[in-house]
Amino acid sequence: MKNIFFILSLALIVTGCNDETTTTTTTASTEHRQSMRDLSITSANAYNDLFLDSTEVEKFIVSQKLNDTLAGAMRGFYNARNFEYAWFEKTGLIEQSFSFHSLFCTANDCEMFKSLEDRYDRLRIEDDSTINAKDPSTIKTELQITQRFIEYAAKEYGSNNITPEDLGTYIPAKKATILGRADAVLAASSDNKVYASINESYRLLKDPLKKYTAIAKAGGWPAIVAPKKTYREGVTAPEILVIKKRLQITGELAGNDTSALFDAALTGAINTYQQNHGYKPTGVVTADLVKDMNIPATKRVEQLLINMQRMRWMPTSPEGKLIIVNIPEFVVYVKDGKNILFQMDVVVGAEGHKTTMFSGDMNQVVFSPYWNVPPSIVRKEILPAIEKDANYLAKKDMEITGTEGGLPAIRQRPGEKNALGRVKFLFPNSFNIYLHDSPQKELFKRSERDLSHGCIRLSDPVKLANYLLQDSDTWTPEKIEAAMNSGTEQTVRLKKPVPVIITYYTAWVNQKGELHFVDDIYGHDDEMAVKMFSDAAGK
């Protein structure tokens, strides 16, 4: 491990950019080298909007009694960022903080860092928090996460020649132009070539990035005038020619047909485009579809770069059972290692009740569950409904079990009306988010399914229950079905917890090699684009 830390420290110490000042750093071999500080990073062009006092890093190194190699890595990490915070911005923890936390806890026991975990949880649930860069608790949390990150990287990536300089790209320090960053990611001299060899999801997006970057540099694709009515096979119109040109550029339509007739080949191309952009394939061109096709090529490059940034935080070599929920795709994947065993449609949180990105360990299956209504829903929805209808609770098969925080504690009994359906799947977390059945099966027919209060509703919970309990001699499919319909709550603990990762990918390549784009339903892409790019598309 010391050898790995020496490599990490040495690589960080020699990094830097123009307009730098120098300080002296001691490595594990006590050799003095110049640690280069990038003064070109300012509050105007920084990825984050908070900066550390450099003396705080030194105080932390001393207080934690870090060895020379780890201390050198810490200094180099922050010198390369001009002491810009890596994990915080003024409004709280940044997205990469959540992503690294999920990555780390998927492979480690987070209880080993209980005090840090408690601070993580408090910060993640405080939506209206304002961060003070000089606050001792914030500084300590920032530096502890960085220490954990460097140690994790040494353990996981040390044998793959991924240096701390490379790791700096995991949390960008400085804005760049969209195409400039694309060129950097595609450059063989960067870490991306090495990293792509161990992270398949990341690697699979490199070819589309190259393709769309070339399209953007060539001027993109022609704008299509929004139709006043739909276009379908058999129609002839001037805009059909433009649509064909648009789809020829991105490859959904082969050849170079220049006719204005909506023919069978175009129907097939439209179906392909719809399938790969989150639409139900109909072969019909609507105003909404044209709006989607008119998204500029540079914006698609931006989207690819943002999602490649997110993919850096996924396990590179997952082993065993794994459940991944992709929020904007409205799909859950059940995997064994890298293999997808099955997938199903889900309903996720609506605006105002967003499903959070995080990870956890699924350890319980609860049949015929009660629904303990969250206080926020009691206050905003249940109490106003009771005022309008005194029999509301009885109609909804709900009961008051006491008080909580000055509000009645309300739960809904197991049964047909229960909002959780017949089964729920728990992975304990600070957000009270879990997977569950739903009595509203009609919701799964919609293409956009951001409709819940934050939990994740499953289209086929029976299949997941049977999969999770397949190694149990006791829980046969027949017994599972009976427990779901018993009307009596029953909890089953899994012999081995299953990791759950809730992600947010709006661009990815599936196992068939098909590139997919979907809508940024929560605006997370837009938020990251403003931080990453000096010319964020559409801003």
Side-chain angles (χ1 to χ4, degrees):
M1 181 64 76
K2 285 186 177 181
N3 289 335
I4 293 174
F5 273 132
F6 177 74
I7 294 171
L8 290 170
S9 180
L10 182 62
L12 268 172
I13 290 166
V14 299
T15 63
C17 298
N18 297 328
D19 302 321
E20 297 135 342
T21 57
T22 60
T23 57
T24 302
T25 300
T26 305
T27 69
S29 63
T30 69
E31 179 181 2
H32 293 278
R33 294 183 181 271
Q34 296 299 310
S35 179
M36 308 178 81
R37 181 170 177 175
D38 186 357
L39 295 179
S40 70
I41 298 172
T42 68
S43 58
N45 63 19
Y47 181 78
N48 291 329
D49 51 14
L50 296 176
F51 285 80
L52 281 160
D53 186 324
S54 60
T55 60
E56 296 294 347
V57 177
E58 295 304 318
K59 290 178 184 177
F60 181 82
I61 288 170
V62 172
S63 68
Q64 300 300 309
K65 300 178 181 179
L66 303 185
N67 62 45
D68 287 343
T69 48
L70 183 51
M74 293 281 292
R75 293 185 183 107
F77 181 84
Y78 283 103
N79 276 334
R81 303 180 63 80
N82 198 18
F83 291 87
E84 170 194 348
Y85 269 78
W87 310 101
F88 284 92
E89 59 185 348
K90 287 180 181 177
T91 56
L93 291 167
I94 67 169
E95 181 179 309
Q96 287 90 339
S97 303
F98 306 144
S99 300
F100 173 57
H101 183 269
S102 294
L103 179 64
F104 183 89
C105 292
T106 299
N108 298 274
D109 180 7
C110 284
E111 289 299 312
M112 294 170 58
F113 302 91
K114 189 68 173 81
S115 62
L116 179 56
E117 289 307 303
D118 289 343
R119 286 200 298 278
Y120 238 118
D121 285 345
R122 286 198 302 273
L123 287 163
R124 292 200 295 179
I125 61 178
E126 293 174 358
D127 294 334
D128 58 348
S129 60
T130 300
I131 300 301
N132 181 352
K134 297 180 184 283
D135 176 65
S137 177
T138 300
I139 293 169
K140 182 178 181 180
T141 303
E142 163 77 16
L143 296 175
Q144 282 185 320
I145 298 173
T146 298
Q147 178 185 345
R148 181 188 288 189
F149 176 58
I150 293 172
E151 291 173 335
Y152 175 87
K155 178 181 177 182
E156 296 295 322
Y157 304 135
S159 62
N160 291 292
N161 297 316
I162 295 178
T163 70
E165 180 182 8
D166 300 331
L167 294 175
T169 63
Y170 279 54
I171 315 107
K174 185 178 178 180
K175 290 181 173 66
T177 64
I178 296 166
L179 297 182
R181 192 175 294 277
D183 286 340
V185 169
L186 293 170
S189 59
S190 73
D191 81 294
N192 301 293
K193 183 177 181 180
V194 177
Y195 186 73
S197 68
I198 60 173
N199 186 318
E200 184 179 26
S201 296
Y202 181 95
R203 176 181 60 80
L204 289 173
L205 277 184
K206 289 197 75 174
D207 283 343
L209 178 64
K210 183 177 181 179
K211 172 182 174 180
Y212 278 78
T213 299
I215 292 172
K217 289 182 176 181
W221 39 69
I224 307 166
V225 176
K228 295 181 180 179
K229 57 182 180 180
T230 59
Y231 294 137
R232 61 183 68 239
E233 190 170 335
V235 170
T236 299
E239 287 306 312
I240 301 301
L241 175 57
V242 186
I243 293 170
K244 287 182 177 180
K245 179 64 175 177
R246 164 67 180 83
L247 297 178
Q248 286 164 357
I249 290 174
T250 47
E252 289 86 4
L253 182 62
N256 57 358
D257 179 12
T258 58
S259 72
L261 173 65
F262 197 134
D263 56 13
L266 182 56
T267 297
I270 293 295
N271 277 325
T272 298
Y273 185 93
Q274 290 172 323
Q275 180 69 45
N276 295 343
H277 288 75
Y279 294 84
K280 181 180 179 180
T282 63
V284 177
V285 176
T286 63
D288 283 344
L289 191 65
V290 166
K291 183 178 179 180
D292 196 291
M293 288 193 283
N294 279 338
I295 291 174
T298 305
K299 183 70 175 179
R300 291 303 190 192
V301 173
E302 175 188 287
Q303 192 173 359
L304 290 167
L305 288 168
I306 288 170
N307 283 275
M308 291 179 78
Q309 174 71 24
R310 290 192 180 115
M311 287 172 182
R312 289 178 176 276
W313 301 99
M314 286 296 287
T316 55
S317 301
E319 297 180 356
K321 295 178 178 179
L322 178 64
I323 296 173
I324 298 177
V325 179
N326 187 17
I327 296 170
E329 186 187 5
F330 311 114
V331 170
V332 59
Y333 295 91
V334 178
K335 305 181 70 175
D336 188 352
K338 293 184 178 181
N339 299 317
I340 297 174
L341 301 181
F342 59 91
Q343 66 187 68
M344 68 180 72
D345 292 340
V346 299
V347 171
V348 300
E351 186 67 33
H353 301 281
K354 296 177 182 178
T355 301
T356 306
M357 290 180 278
F358 71 101
S359 67
D361 289 325
M362 184 176 290
N363 59 8
Q364 299 170 58
V365 179
V366 182
F367 297 116
S368 296
Y370 281 96
W371 178 38
N372 296 298
V373 184
S376 61
I377 298 178
V378 171
R379 183 177 62 255
K380 295 177 183 179
E381 299 180 27
I382 305 297
L383 293 182
I386 293 174
E387 288 183 7
K388 294 179 180 179
D389 183 356
N391 294 319
Y392 177 83
L393 291 182
K395 290 178 179 178
K396 295 294 184 179
D397 209 8
M398 293 178 172
E399 60 187 4
I400 297 175
T401 60
T403 59
E404 181 180 355
L407 292 171
I410 297 175
R411 69 179 184 179
Q412 189 174 39
R413 301 181 187 90
E416 293 181 358
K417 297 179 181 179
N418 190 284
L420 305 185
R422 300 181 298 159
V423 61
K424 67 179 179 180
F425 306 86
L426 301 182
F427 44 108
N429 58 82
S430 304
F431 310 103
N432 196 29
I433 290 176
Y434 43 87
L435 276 61
H436 65 86
D437 184 16
S438 173
Q440 297 175 291
K441 303 300 183 185
E442 69 280 1
L443 297 181
F444 296 100
K445 296 178 182 179
R446 301 189 185 186
S447 57
E448 295 183 359
R449 296 186 294 277
D450 46 336
L451 305 163
S452 79
H453 282 94
C455 285
I456 299 158
R457 306 181 192 182
L458 301 169
S459 58
D460 193 353
V462 178
K463 187 169 188 175
L464 182 59
N466 278 290
Y467 170 73
L468 293 172
L469 297 171
Q470 64 183 348
D471 297 329
S472 169
D473 294 332
T474 304
W475 287 98
T476 62
E478 293 76 17
K479 186 172 181 181
I480 288 173
E481 186 67 25
M484 284 184 174
N485 293 290
S486 68
T488 301
E489 185 175 82
Q490 184 174 6
T491 299
V492 181
R493 288 194 167 269
L494 300 180
K495 293 179 180 178
K496 185 177 181 181
V498 177
V500 178
I501 301 177
I502 301 178
T503 63
Y504 192 92
Y505 292 145
T506 62
W508 70 94
V509 174
N510 66 14
Q511 290 191 323
K512 297 178 180 179
E514 300 164 335
L515 174 64
H516 286 256
F517 290 108
V518 293
D519 290 342
D520 177 23
I521 61 171
Y522 293 163
H524 292 332
D525 283 8
D526 287 343
E527 291 173 7
M528 190 177 288
V530 171
K531 293 163 66 65
M532 285 182 67
F533 306 113
S534 57
D535 59 341
K539 301 298 173 192

